[in-house]
Amino acid sequence: MTYSGVVRVGGPADVHELKDLMITKVAVGPMDNNAYLLRCRATDEQLLIDAANDAHSLLGTIGDGGLASVVTTHRHGDHWQALADVVAATGARTYAGRHDAEGIPVPTDVPVDDGDTIRVGQVELTARHLVGHTPGSIALVYDDPHGHPHVFTGDCLFPGGPGRTTRPEEFNSLMDGLETKVFDVLPDETWVYPGHGNDTTIGTERPHLAEWRARGW
């Protein structure tokens, strides 16, 4: 079936089947958080992006194949409610942005900096540090050698604009980071997987950058 990226809490997962990577998207918790399970097709190793809520559902999605690692995109509590339980059940290694790790109550095994590589089996993800929504938010870019890139943006980029900020300097910082590290380097075909809600593409959002700057959110 064709992947849509449209999921609802309590509903079925949606699976994006790439040549080297399987991406399973589920929605969990009262804030409709997205969690993404990545599985390397060559090795079956798995990585979870944001153990946001409902450990029971996440562990069911993970299944019997084990979990090598969990990446937390940022420190906000709705993105790590199930992290302790998932790690306790799987022994997964934890990753988070270096400047957000202190705000996550589960210890971070591997602090992540801009440009760092995180592997799941034979697949490589590149971390991009984006300051503004939180001090240490990270996005993860998978540059698919067989197609267009894919980027997991946490709460830094959604359909229709950047993530929430509270001060003008935070908004400007987030927009600067999105423009230089995401929009300036990724093609329009890049698929965007946000921390809440439906997916989008870089090409869909690119024409609105000036509009976002002008409105200030």
Side-chain angles (χ1 to χ4, degrees), residues 166-187:
T166 56
R167 297 192 297 271
E169 58 268 29
E170 292 174 344
F171 170 77
N172 290 329
S173 174
L174 180 54
M175 283 297 300
D176 288 346
L178 285 171
E179 289 191 4
T180 59
K181 297 179 182 181
V182 178
F183 284 93
D184 286 355
V185 296
L186 296 175

Side-chain angles (χ1 to χ4, degrees), residues 2 10 43 70 105 109 123 141 150 160 177 201:
T2 301
T43 67
V70 184
D109 297 321
V123 170
V141 179
H150 300 255
T201 66

